[in-house]
């Protein structure tokens, strides 16, 4: 810290040097830097020497009467320089929480003494109007400094400090409001104008403000302002307001990129918003994070990815119909982030998939309940799903391709860990993930055996033990209770799920030349089921499924019989498959029809669910708490411990409590299982 | 045992020249110190011994009195907070209670100690733990070894190293045993003499006593080991401690004695069986040493016998107590005592298979394999499994198998399947298959004198004589007789094993033992005698056709059948068509779920059915199998896929005509009927292995390789040939190599092939269209004009 302080002082010294340089030949310079130089000169070299200041001011008055007049009108405080000039210096120190160090304590102490006795200036609406007008006209560093000071004071009030050490005071909430509004609306444009920055024509590359010649002189003020924005962000609670500030922060990203410390703080806040905020704020936070990582990959991409993944894991402990869209959003956005640099993503994915594999291996070795709880939880499943999505979205990628194999093996191992009826829902999630991965990466994964096994294991003829009032939502559960296993709803749900999953899987393979062989065990199994099962309700969908699969199977068989090439001719096979895919098969046609219907059904279900929500929620919560909380916490703490150790100080601010996300997300489409949109 | 003997020789003159004065001085000092230590130790030991003997003499005559001081059972619970003055009342009560059970007490005094077995307090457990190591630490002795000094600025710094004297093996063992059962240490309570002792003091007293006993055991044991021939009598003394009667330490001491005796016996037993002397031998006069040895042997055998009897008695006591629940007060400590006894017997079973009474041990242990206590039965089963594996001669195995056979029969096949599973570890590789073959084998016959005289010249005769002599010697050196004997034993063993199996197949087909039997049959099928074949085939056929078997059991049946047929059974002219169809049908019932591990049996069957019997298999059948195997490999885990594809490859190599399956041309009439279960009639020649293209997209790299290789028609050399590590391995081995049971990645995960970056996101456009839509909608949304920041300020 002392080092930093020193560095800052050194900065100042440079400034000072520049200032004096400007001062000496400032005549030829235009007005702005000169003022700046003067001010610096005043503030830094002549502290506490009132007479000298007065002399300088009077000199200024002589040299540039207009400006002096302007000062008199607009900024009385500057003229009362002897108590205020040091304040920005002081403020900066305070912002960085630095103790007054030896280098300048003599000056500071005397300043402080004098300062405390003087009242801060109250910001009024009129002042704000004045600033606004001035900014519109011609943004100058001086006005910007004023506004920054005021903004800082305003932000300080949110911390409850009352801005005792600021030059200004913001007491009135309406003043606060208009000040902040003014800032987030006009400052960006003003800054751009002030630094004379023009947006790049091609929109490709971000124009960094540090490229401006005026950057050096304004750096301190901008730094302070950016710090204020982050601070403001940290203490806001209302969604609309947060979004507004985030928008502003988004505009300011280039500025942040020039200031490493400020951007670290910003990233911290953005991550918090991204993982726990409201929909709009999440999106905006993501955009800002994406921008930051994209434009300064070498410094920010890796830490941001790591922190995002950790936040993701922390925030997907609980899965409910409400939380699902959030998790989905996080998955999608994380995928976007991983697409920035596939080599970095390979490293991340490799480590985290290996971590998942290690957990699974331990669970396999121990064969105890506690250990397989470390695998059979939502966090684990969502992580699997995340990687499936990443690998499927980023296909084809030579870099990430090798990871498909370990991921498949981990998912299949997860299915096989405890293959009992209790964990059928978990198995369905895994199968869904595998289907997604397999279809979008053109990889073959044996998924069907795990689904068909259910037909063998469950006795569908057995009369259900009890009736149940509502259907089981397989999307938000991992395991079934003993009671559930007896219910009629369970078997109905199971048939539905099996139908969906088998159809989806076959849909992804419908055009392949090996389809008849792939379908053979399914056909045999479904026939056997129809022979045994006496319940008409279950038989109907199964029969339909069987018909469609058989139809597709015979279609492919007939087509390939006519083919003029042999098995060895790989290129011809690829061409053939492509042709079949374009032509469409009976199954694909049926699937598109079915999907439309199914979506409608799900929408109906959701609207029905919303009404039921109040009934639904407490139950889900209770389940979560008793089942997962404790071991999840423990489990995933050590899961990531090794990784987060290196930046512990950073983490301090990131610890986000895993509170339930009570948000209302109305977009229906996001509730649908994502496969259907692929 | 004496202190470690110094190995350093007296410095020779030559050495003296080489070594520095300092080193020599150190050496001398070390030696002196050591001698002092030795003297001290000896004195100490003597003292202890005397003390121990005195103690034992004092204590033994008054066992009954000890009961008076023993606290009430419940009292154990409150031992810590226990006010000691209350004890007397309770003691009185207890005494009267005990008096009523006098018969029990007087009958077996020693067993009364552990009466409080079940009760103990966890806090005391901790304390017990704490105390044990402290005692150990105290007994450790350190020896200072002086090293060469180091010289630095400050001057010469002498160096020395402390060496912890290794304690004797016995002591360690005993300490281990004590540490193993800390509860035991807590179990028996209560000192004899002191009336007014606090619980803590009593505990301390007990620990001290145990320590004394340990020392006694150690000194006796080391005496025996140091010179078994002279000190065999000490064993008797030691064995006497098995009857330890002091109730507060009885269980612990007994266990310690059992374990130490076991270790001692393992050490001192000779590597030959000791036979009783004949009267003639006794009568003859022998040398003094021989006499001494004879005495030792006699003593050893009798001590060993008594020891075994004691162990057996302990186990019997436990068994009987179990039945008489009413008296089972100290059931727990009986149980633990018996467990230790069984452990000792198991160790002896493995360590001394050549020694006397081995059969007796087997007879005791075999019924315990079927014990209801899982721990006991597992222990015994493990021991026998190991015995089978390490038994090179076969005698012990034969005895065991005999006893097992009797057990299975007596219990009317109600035994645990684990008992039969142990038989799988029998080390039987060859038996006398056909006596006639051996009989007809040309036996090298030595000519008798007459022939020689007739046929050979004198010179030749001389040569011949020398030659014969040499051959005879060579034969002896080869010890061919023992080999013959071994084969004989093995044959007999195997006959009994098959007797067990066949009896179960005939009489108890529904029992839980059937899977174990089928597995065993499959395992030993190549050794089954020809004369059983017909019967066995019939039985297996019926079993499979009954449909009661699970997939796995049926597969075992098939494996058995084909192992028989591919061995000596190839002389039989049977076409087991039924079994082929059976396997063909079952192939589709195996999948990646639970039955994935059955694939290994499938692979074994395939090897026997298609590769080894390729002369008897039609092309039709082979092609049907190839087709179905490749179909199946779509539905199993990667290791099974690799195995199946390798089997397919082998089949294609065995039947080169299978390359029809790579052409897309119709041969003859009819369509391929994939669902038909008859390999001969499914028209497999009219299909092609299209699924290989799906397999080439498999997520597992090795499956991809194999599928691509098969697509090329499985060439053994050239472009499409397989790498050596894949082509040289058998399908069964490959199945094991790529197993995912422990979540290892074989082959390892590849690193990215290029340093080239993939470009996905161009500019600000996102990959996910839905996400892009969401983002756009957020960005487009008009910013609310009425933003209200007020609450942020007022909040604070």
């Amino acid at each position: 810290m002392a080092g930093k302080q020193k560095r800052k002082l050194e900065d100042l010294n440079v400034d000072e040097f520049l200032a004096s340089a400007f001062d000496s030949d400032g005549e030829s310079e235009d007005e702005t830097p000169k003022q700046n130089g003067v001010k610096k000169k005043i503030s830094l070299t002549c502290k506490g020497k009132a007479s000298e200041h007065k002399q300088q001011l009077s000199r200024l008055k002589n040299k540039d009467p207009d400006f002096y007049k302007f000062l008199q009108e607009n900024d009385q405080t500057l003229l009362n320089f002897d108590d205020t000039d040091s304040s920005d210096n002081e403020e900066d120190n305070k912002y960085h929480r630095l103790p007054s160090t030896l280098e300048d304590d003599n000056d500071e102490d005397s300043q402080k003494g004098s300062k405390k006795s003087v009242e801060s200036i109250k910001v009024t609406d009129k002042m704000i109007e004045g600033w606004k007008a001035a900014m519109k006209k011609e943004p100058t560093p001086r006005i910007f400094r004023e506004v920054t000071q005021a903004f800082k004071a305003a932000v300080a009030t949110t911390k409850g400090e009352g801005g005792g050490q600021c030059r200004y005071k913001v007491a009135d909430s309406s003043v606060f409001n208009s000040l902040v509004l003014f800032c987030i609306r006009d400052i960006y444009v003003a800054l751009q104008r002030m630094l004379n920055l023009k947006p790049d024509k091609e929109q490709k590359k971000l124009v960094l403000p540090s490229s401006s010649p005026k950057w050096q002189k304004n750096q301190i003020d901008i730094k302070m302002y950016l710090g204020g924005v982050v601070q403001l962000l940290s203490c806001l609670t209302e969604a609309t307001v947060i979004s507004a500030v985030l928008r502003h922060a988004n505009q300011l990203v280039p500025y942040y990129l020039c200031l490493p410390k400020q951007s670290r703080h910003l990233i911290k806040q953005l991550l918090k918003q991204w993982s726990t905020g409201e929909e709009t704020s999440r999106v905006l936070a993501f955009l800002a994070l994406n921008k930051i990582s994209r434009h300064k990959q070498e410094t920010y991409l890796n830490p941001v990815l790591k922190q995002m993944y950790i936040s993701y894991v922390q925030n997907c402990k609980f899965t409910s119909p409400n939380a699902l869209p959030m998790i989905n959003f996080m998955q999608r956005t994380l995928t976007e982030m991983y697409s920035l640099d596939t080599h970095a993503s390979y490293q991340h994915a490799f480590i985290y998939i290996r971590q998942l594999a290690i957990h699974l291996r331990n669970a396999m070795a121990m064969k105890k309940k506690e250990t397989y709880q470390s695998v059979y939880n939502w966090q684990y499943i969502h992580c699997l799903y995340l990687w499936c999505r990443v690998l499927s979205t980023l296909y084809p990628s030579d870099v990430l391709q090798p990871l498909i194999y370990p991921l498949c093996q981990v998912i299949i191992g997860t299915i096989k860990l405890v293959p009992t009826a209790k964990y059928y829902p978990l198995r369905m999630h895994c199968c869904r993930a595998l289907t997604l991965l397999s279809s979008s990466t053109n990889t073959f994964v044996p998924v069907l055996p795990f689904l068909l096994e259910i037909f063998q294991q469950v006795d569908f003829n057995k009369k259900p033990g009890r009736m149940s009032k509502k259907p089981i939502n397989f999307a938000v559960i991992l395991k079934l209770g003993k009671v559930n296993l007896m219910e009629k709803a369970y078997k109905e749900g199971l048939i539905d799920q099996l139908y969906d999953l088998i159809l989806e899987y076959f849909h992804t393979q419908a055009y392949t030349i090996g389809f008849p062989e792939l379908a053979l065990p399914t056909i045999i199994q479904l026939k056997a089921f129809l022979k045994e099962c006496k319940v008409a309700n279950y038989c109907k969908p199964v029969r339909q499924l069987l018909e469609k699969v058989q139809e597709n199977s015979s279609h492919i068989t007939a087509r390939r019989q006519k083919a003029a090439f042999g098995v060895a001719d790989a290129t011809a096979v690829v061409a053939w498959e492509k042709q079949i895919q374009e032509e469409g098969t009976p199954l694909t046609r049926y699937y598109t029809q079915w999907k439309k219907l199914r979506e409608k059904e799900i929408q109906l279900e959701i609207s029905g669910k919303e009404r039921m929500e109040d009934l639904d929620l407490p139950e889900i919560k209770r389940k979560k708490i008793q089942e997962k909380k404790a071991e999840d916490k423990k489990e995933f703490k050590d899961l990531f411990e090794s990784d987060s150790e290196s930046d512990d100080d950073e983490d301090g601010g990131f610890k986000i409590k895993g509170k339930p996300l009570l948000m209302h997300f109305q977009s229906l489409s996001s509730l649908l299982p994502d496969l259907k949109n692929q | 045992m004496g202190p470690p003997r110094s190995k350093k020789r007296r410095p020779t003159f030559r050495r003296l020249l080489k070594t520095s004065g300092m080193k020599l001085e150190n050496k001398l000092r070390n030696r002196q110190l050591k001698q002092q230590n030795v003297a001290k130790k000896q004195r100490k030991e003597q003292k202890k011994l005397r003390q121990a003997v005195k103690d034992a003499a004092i204590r033994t005559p008054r066992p009954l009195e000890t009961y008076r001081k023993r606290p009430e059972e419940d009292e154990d619970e409150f031992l810590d907070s226990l006010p000691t003055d209350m004890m007397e009342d309770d003691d009185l009560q207890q005494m009267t209670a005990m008096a009523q059970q006098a018969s029990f007490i007087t009958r077996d005094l020693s067993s009364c100690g552990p009466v409080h077995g079940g009760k103990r307090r966890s806090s005391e457990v901790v304390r017990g733990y704490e105390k044990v190591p402290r005692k150990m630490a105290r007994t450790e002795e350190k020896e200072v070894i002086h090293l060469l000094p180091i010289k630095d600025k400050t001057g010469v710094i002498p160096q020395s190293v402390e060496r912890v004297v290794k304690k004797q093996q016995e002591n360690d063992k005993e300490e281990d045993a004590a540490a193993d059962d800390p509860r035991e240490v807590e179990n028996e309570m209560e000192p004899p003499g002191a009336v007014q002792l606090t619980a803590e003091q009593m505990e301390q007293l007990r620990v001290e006593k145990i320590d004394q006993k340990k020392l006694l055991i150690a000194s006796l044991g080391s005496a025996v080991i140091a010179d078994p021939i002279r000190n065999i009598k000490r064993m008797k003394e030691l064995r006497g401690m098995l009857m330890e009667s002091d109730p507060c330490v009885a269980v612990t001491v007994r266990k310690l004695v059992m374990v130490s005796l076991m270790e001692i016996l393992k050490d001192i037993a000779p590597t030959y069986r000791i036979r009783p002397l004949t009267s003639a031998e006794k009568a003859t006069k022998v040398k003094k040493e021989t006499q001494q040895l004879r005495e030792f042997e006699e003593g050893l055998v009798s001590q060993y016998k008594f020891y075994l009897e004691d162990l057996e008695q302990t186990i019997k006591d436990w068994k009987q107590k179990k039945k008489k629940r009413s008296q089972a007060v100290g059931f727990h400590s009986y149980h633990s005592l018996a467990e230790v006894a069984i452990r000792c017997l198991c160790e002896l079973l493995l360590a001394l298979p050549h020694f006397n009474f081995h059969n007796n041990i087997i007879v005791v242990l075999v019924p315990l394999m079927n014990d209801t206590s899982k721990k006991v039965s597992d222990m015994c089963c493990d021991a026998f499994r190991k015995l089978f594996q390490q038994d090179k001669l076969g005698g012990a195995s034969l005895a065991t198998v005999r006893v097992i056979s009797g057990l299975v029969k007596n219990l009317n096949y109600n035994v645990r399947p684990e008992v039969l599973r142990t038989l799988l570890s029998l080390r039987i590789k060859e038996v006398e298959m056909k006596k006639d073959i051996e009989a007809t084998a040309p036996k090298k016959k030595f000519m008798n004198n007459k022939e020689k005289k007739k046929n050979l010249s004198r010179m030749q005769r001389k040569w011949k004589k020398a030659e014969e002599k040499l051959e005879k010697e060579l034969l002896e050196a080869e010890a061919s007789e023992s080999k013959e004997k071994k084969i004989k034993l093995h044959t007999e063993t195997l006959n009994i094993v098959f007797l067990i199996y066949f009896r179960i197949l005939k009489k108890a087909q529904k029992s839980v033992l059937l899977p174990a039997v089928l597995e065993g049959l499959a395992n030993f099928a190549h050794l089954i005698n020809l004369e059983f074949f017909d019967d066995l085939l019939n039985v297996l056929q019926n079993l499979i056709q009954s449909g009661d078997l699970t997939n796995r059991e049926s597969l075992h049946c098939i494996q058995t059948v084909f192992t028989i047929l591919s061995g000596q059974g190839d002389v039989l002219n049977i076409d087991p068509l039924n079994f082929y169809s059976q396997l063909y049908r079952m192939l589709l019932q195996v999948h990646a779920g639970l039955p994935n591990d059955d694939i290994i049996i499938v692979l074994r069957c395939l090897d026997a059915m298609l590769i080894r019997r390729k002369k008897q298999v039609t092309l039709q059948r082979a092609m049907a199998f190839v087709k179905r195997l490749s179909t199946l490999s779509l539905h199993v885990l990667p290791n099974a896929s690799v195995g199946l594809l390798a089997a397919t490859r082998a089949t294609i190599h065995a039947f080169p005509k299978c390359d029809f399956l790579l052409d897309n041309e119709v041969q003859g009439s009819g369509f391929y009927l994939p669902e038909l279960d008859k390999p001969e009639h499914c028209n497999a020649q009219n299909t092609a292995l299209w699924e290989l293209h799906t397999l080439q997209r498999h997520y597992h790299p090795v499956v991809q390789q194999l599928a691509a290789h098969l697509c090329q028609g499985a060439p053994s050399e050239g472009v499409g040939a397989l790498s050596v590590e894949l082509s040289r391995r058998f399908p069964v081995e490959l199945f094991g190599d790529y197993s995912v049971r422990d979540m290892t990645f074989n082959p390892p995960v590849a690193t990215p092939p290029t340093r080239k970056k993939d470009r996905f996101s161009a500019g600000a456009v996102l990959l996910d269209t839905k996400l892009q839509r969401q983002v756009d909608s957020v960005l487009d949304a008009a910013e609310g004009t009425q933003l209200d920041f007020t609450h942020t300020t007022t909040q604070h």
Side-chain angles (χ1 to χ4, degrees), chain A residues 390-602:
Chain A
V390 169
L391 294 187
S392 343
T393 314
L394 304 185
Y395 182 85
S397 156
D398 286 340
V399 182
L400 294 177
Q401 179 91 8
L403 291 172
I404 295 174
Y405 149 59
L407 184 59
C408 284
Q409 194 170 318
V410 169
I411 299 177
I412 288 179
T414 309
I415 294 177
K416 286 191 68 114
L417 181 62
V418 188
T420 55
K422 195 175 156 192
Y423 288 109
Y424 281 160
L426 184 137
R427 181 185 292 214
M428 311 268 180
H429 288 294
C430 290
C431 288
R432 197 158 269 140
L434 281 178
T435 312
L436 167 69
L437 184 65
S438 129
S439 68
S440 41
T441 59
N442 194 27
T443 308
F444 172 73
V445 185
V447 176
L448 287 170
F450 302 110
L451 298 172
L452 297 179
E453 202 181 18
I454 297 177
F455 280 115
Q456 292 169 359
Q457 287 173 347
V458 178
D459 183 6
F460 285 94
N461 278 327
K462 209 170 142 197
K463 280 255 156 61
R466 37 177 270 158
M467 301 307 281
S468 43
K469 46 193 187 307
K470 54 174 192 279
I472 299 172
N473 186 359
F474 277 78
V476 292
I477 51 171
L478 281 186
K479 69 170 190 176
L480 295 158
K482 276 217 177 77
V483 185
N484 281 337
L485 291 177
M486 316 238 293
E487 282 174 2
K488 196 171 164 231
Y490 155 67
K491 282 181 185 165
E492 280 169 358
L494 210 55
I495 289 279
D496 264 10
Q497 288 288 315
L498 287 174
Y499 183 86
D500 287 10
L501 283 167
I502 293 176
L503 189 61
E504 262 161 30
Y505 184 77
F506 275 133
H507 164 67
T508 66
Q509 306 286 331
Y511 59 90
T512 57
I513 201 160
F515 184 88
E517 281 75 22
L518 192 66
L520 180 62
T522 312
I523 292 172
I524 291 175
Q525 182 62 53
L526 294 184
K527 275 183 178 167
F529 174 81
L530 288 175
K531 214 172 175 186
E532 298 251 313
C533 184
K534 305 280 187 295
V535 186
N537 267 348
Y538 304 153
C539 287
K540 213 180 118 199
V542 171
R543 187 167 295 122
Q544 198 181 19
L545 182 64
L546 175 64
E547 273 167 23
K548 293 300 159 195
V549 173
Q550 275 179 317
E551 195 185 338
N552 201 65
S553 183
S554 47
H555 174 77
I556 296 284
T557 312
R559 289 297 301 263
R560 76 184 183 189
Q561 200 103 51
K562 286 179 220 149
F565 49 85
V567 174
D569 194 351
T571 45
V573 170
V574 172
W576 185 88
E577 282 185 350
K578 206 174 167 204
Q579 192 196 347
I580 296 285
Q581 192 176 14
E582 276 163 10
E583 283 173 18
T585 63
L587 197 74
T588 44
R589 283 191 283 276
Y590 173 69
Y591 179 79
T592 38
Q593 269 180 5
W594 169 84
K595 206 181 94 183
K596 267 184 212 153
L597 280 175
R598 187 76 184 152
E599 263 168 31
K600 241 179 226 165
E601 247 174 65
I602 287 172

Side-chain angles (χ1 to χ4, degrees), chain B residues 228-288:
Chain B
I229 296 187
R230 225 168 289 152
N231 291 338
I232 193 70
K233 290 272 163 19
R234 293 286 168 90
M235 267 192 74
K236 192 173 176 189
E237 214 171 299
L238 196 54
R239 210 172 43 76
M241 290 176 77
L242 268 181
M243 290 300 151
E244 176 65 46
S245 55
D246 186 345
C248 70
V249 292
V251 172
T252 314
V253 170
R254 285 179 186 195
K255 285 183 182 170
L256 292 178
V257 173
M258 278 186 209
V259 178
S260 347
L261 271 173
M262 182 261 288
E263 291 292 343
I264 293 170
L265 282 166
K266 263 163 75 174
D267 273 8
I268 65 170
T271 52
Y272 52 89
R273 180 188 289 266
I274 297 170
R275 65 180 169 80
L277 296 174
T278 57
S279 51
E281 276 173 326
K282 268 181 194 162
T284 53
K285 225 177 174 193
V286 288
K287 263 190 276 176
K288 199 180 162 195

Side-chain angles (χ1 to χ4, degrees), chain A residues 68-338:
Chain A
Y68 191 75
K69 203 177 151 208
F70 176 74
L71 280 186
Q72 268 180 328
E73 277 168 12
N74 288 297
D75 197 2
Q76 288 294 329
T77 50
L78 189 71
L79 299 178
N80 300 334
F81 55 89
D82 54 350
D83 57 50
T84 53
D85 277 338
S86 64
S87 69
D88 82 24
N89 203 7
E90 185 71 18
E91 289 300 340
D92 255 343
N93 286 346
K94 199 194 76 201
Y95 181 73
H96 297 297
R97 292 190 191 84
L98 296 173
S100 49
T101 44
L102 284 174
E103 281 103 297
D104 53 352
D105 57 357
N106 288 336
D107 289 347
E108 301 254 326
D109 280 352
S110 60
Q111 291 294 312
K112 256 181 205 161
S114 62
K115 192 186 61 188
K116 260 167 200 157
S117 59
V118 180
E119 280 286 299
S120 308
I121 301 157
K122 237 181 168 180
V123 180
T124 59
D125 281 333
K126 208 181 140 199
M127 284 164 78
I128 296 171
E129 285 303 314
W131 287 331
K132 207 183 255 178
M135 283 285 198
K136 279 256 164 65
K137 213 177 110 201
E138 179 65 61
T140 62
R142 202 188 39 76
I143 302 173
F144 178 64
R145 165 168 296 199
E146 295 304 305
V147 175
T148 305
Q149 293 288 348
F151 182 68
K152 186 167 175 42
V155 170
T157 58
T158 60
K159 286 209 301 190
E161 286 171 8
Q165 308 200 330
C166 298
R167 195 193 319 176
Y168 292 104
K169 203 166 84 186
V170 179
D172 195 359
S173 64
S174 70
V175 173
F176 176 87
N177 209 9
S178 47
L179 177 65
V180 174
L181 264 182
F182 156 60
C183 283
I184 64 172
R185 282 190 184 151
D186 299 338
I187 284 288
Y188 173 67
V189 182
L191 266 177
Q192 293 287 85
R193 273 173 66 197
M194 191 170 87
L195 295 180
N196 218 357
L197 293 172
K198 297 216 170 51
D200 193 40
K201 271 142 214 146
E202 287 150 36
Q203 292 271 337
K204 267 274 171 73
K205 201 115 167 81
L206 218 58
V207 182
L208 287 183
S210 55
S211 61
S212 156
K214 295 171 192 168
W215 168 255
Q216 281 299 347
K217 276 161 278 166
N218 293 301
Q219 196 186 9
I220 299 160
D221 291 321
I222 292 174
K223 206 184 259 178
M224 194 198 295
Y225 181 74
L226 295 184
V229 171
V230 173
Q231 211 175 335
L232 181 66
L233 200 56
S234 70
C235 48
L236 291 175
T237 49
E238 207 200 312
T240 51
V241 183
I242 292 176
S243 319
V245 178
L246 278 175
R247 260 175 240 271
H248 184 50
N250 242 332
Q251 293 175 321
L252 290 175
V253 161
Y255 294 88
Y256 278 105
L257 285 178
C258 301
L259 300 164
K261 188 166 185 178
Q262 272 64 30
S263 37
R264 273 207 308 278
H265 290 288
L266 178 69
I267 287 172
K268 224 182 254 186
Q269 286 307 318
L270 289 175
L271 278 167
K272 188 178 138 202
Q273 290 303 330
W274 173 76
S275 57
T276 56
E278 223 248 282
E279 186 197 356
T280 319
S281 3
R282 276 168 182 251
V283 173
L284 289 167
F286 156 68
L287 287 175
L289 282 171
N290 194 17
K291 221 177 195 175
I292 291 175
S293 324
R294 183 196 303 270
H295 291 290
K296 268 221 166 162
Q297 278 191 10
E298 64 284 2
T299 27
Y300 294 120
L301 182 62
N302 271 321
V304 166
L305 282 181
K306 190 192 271 179
Q307 292 303 331
M308 279 177 93
Y309 184 74
I310 291 171
S311 309
Y312 168 73
V313 176
Q314 279 169 342
N315 285 291
C316 62
K317 250 177 222 170
F318 309 122
T319 304
S320 65
N322 291 327
L324 216 50
M326 300 295 160
I327 294 167
N328 248 323
F329 169 78
M330 287 196 276
Q331 283 175 358
R332 283 167 194 285
T333 46
L334 255 173
T335 308
E336 297 291 339
M337 298 299 286
Y338 281 121

Side-chain angles (χ1 to χ4, degrees), chain A residues 158 176-177 180 185 235-236 238 241 244 247 279-280 294 332 336 339 342-343 346 361 364 394 397-399 402 405-406 408-410 412 416 442-444 449 453 456 509 512-513 517-518 521 524 527 560-561 563 565 567-568 573, chain B residues 588 591-594 627 634-635 637 662 664 675 690-691 693-694 697-700 711 740-747 750-756 758 760 763 766-768 770-771 774 778 785 787-789 791-793 796:
Chain A
T158 60
F176 176 87
N177 209 9
V180 174
R185 282 190 184 151
C235 48
L236 291 175
E238 207 200 312
V241 183
R247 260 175 240 271
E279 186 197 356
T280 319
R294 183 196 303 270
R332 283 167 194 285
E336 297 291 339
S339 72
T342 42
H343 279 284
Y346 176 88
R361 179 188 303 170
M364 282 168 149
L394 304 185
S397 156
D398 286 340
V399 182
Y405 149 59
C408 284
Q409 194 170 318
V410 169
I412 288 179
K416 286 191 68 114
N442 194 27
T443 308
F444 172 73
E453 202 181 18
Q456 292 169 359
Q509 306 286 331
T512 57
I513 201 160
E517 281 75 22
L518 192 66
I524 291 175
K527 275 183 178 167
R560 76 184 183 189
Q561 200 103 51
F565 49 85
V567 174
V573 170
Chain B
L588 280 185
H591 54 77
L594 280 179
K627 176 68 186 168
L634 284 173
H635 300 279
L637 292 186
L662 296 176
N664 191 22
E675 289 171 57
W690 295 114
E691 59 272 25
H693 285 282
T694 308
R697 294 187 287 117
H698 199 283
Y699 73 87
H700 199 277
C711 250
V740 285
R741 190 169 291 158
D742 50 352
M743 220 45 218
T744 45
F745 292 106
N746 182 21
T751 44
T754 51
R755 289 302 305 165
K756 207 182 76 199
D758 305 289
F760 279 104
L766 300 177
L767 292 171
D768 195 326
K770 223 173 81 188
L771 187 66
Q774 197 177 0
V778 166
T785 40
L787 283 174
D788 187 17
F789 286 91
H791 66 282
T792 352
T793 37
H796 297 287

